[in-house]
Amino acid sequence: MTSALLVAKEGVLPMNEALLDAGIVITVVFAVLCIICILITISGKIFSSLVKDEKKPAPAVAAPVAPAEPVKEEEFSSGSLRLKGCDEKTAAMIMAIVSDNTGIPLSELIFKSITLIEEK
């Protein structure tokens, strides 16, 4: 019985020491999290500056903006297409092949002209 009382007296910290230890642990954990946050922010800025150096965007030119009228889906057109020496069926086949090979949807491609080149 004396050994149980001895363990209880030595194993349990007084309330003020327990709170002090808990406060130190919480402070250390919070400080480590702040250091990790700072390191992530710094590395993000370094990586973004490396990417900006590789890809410099073209300077934007301000143009007057006119209010756009809503366009119905069936009236949508991406411009006009000039066919030189080929029929519409061949042009449709060429546009579908280009869309498939590039992986770009046909609705996002704009064709200005399709010209038949004869082999010599």
Side-chain angles (χ1 to χ4, degrees):
M1 200 186 240
T2 58
S3 64
L5 290 174
L6 187 61
V7 171
K9 282 185 174 180
E10 292 178 7
V12 177
L13 290 176
M15 184 60 99
N16 59 354
E17 288 183 28
L19 289 176
L20 181 65
D21 289 348
I24 291 171
V25 169
I26 290 172
T27 304
V28 169
V29 169
F30 186 71
V32 169
L33 288 175
C34 286
I35 290 171
I36 290 173
C37 180
I38 291 169
L39 291 175
I40 289 173
T41 304
I42 291 171
S43 65
K45 289 182 180 181
I46 290 171
F47 290 132
S48 66
S49 68
L50 293 175
V51 172
K52 285 181 183 177
D53 290 341
E54 291 176 6
K55 284 185 170 180
K56 291 186 179 178
V61 177
V65 178
E69 295 180 16
V71 178
K72 294 180 182 177
E73 190 64 35
E74 60 264 359
E75 294 179 7
F76 177 77
S77 174
S78 61
S80 60
L81 173 66
R82 294 183 189 163
L83 300 178
K84 298 177 186 175
C86 68
D87 58 343
E88 291 180 3
K89 185 177 178 181
T90 306
M93 183 76 69
I94 291 170
M95 293 189 298
I97 291 171
V98 168
S99 173
D100 186 56
N101 286 342
T102 59
I104 301 172
L106 190 58
S107 61
E108 294 180 10
L109 291 173
I110 298 175
F111 293 89
K112 294 186 178 184
S113 68
I114 298 177
T115 305
L116 177 66
I117 300 175
E118 295 182 20
E119 294 183 25
K120 294 182 181 180

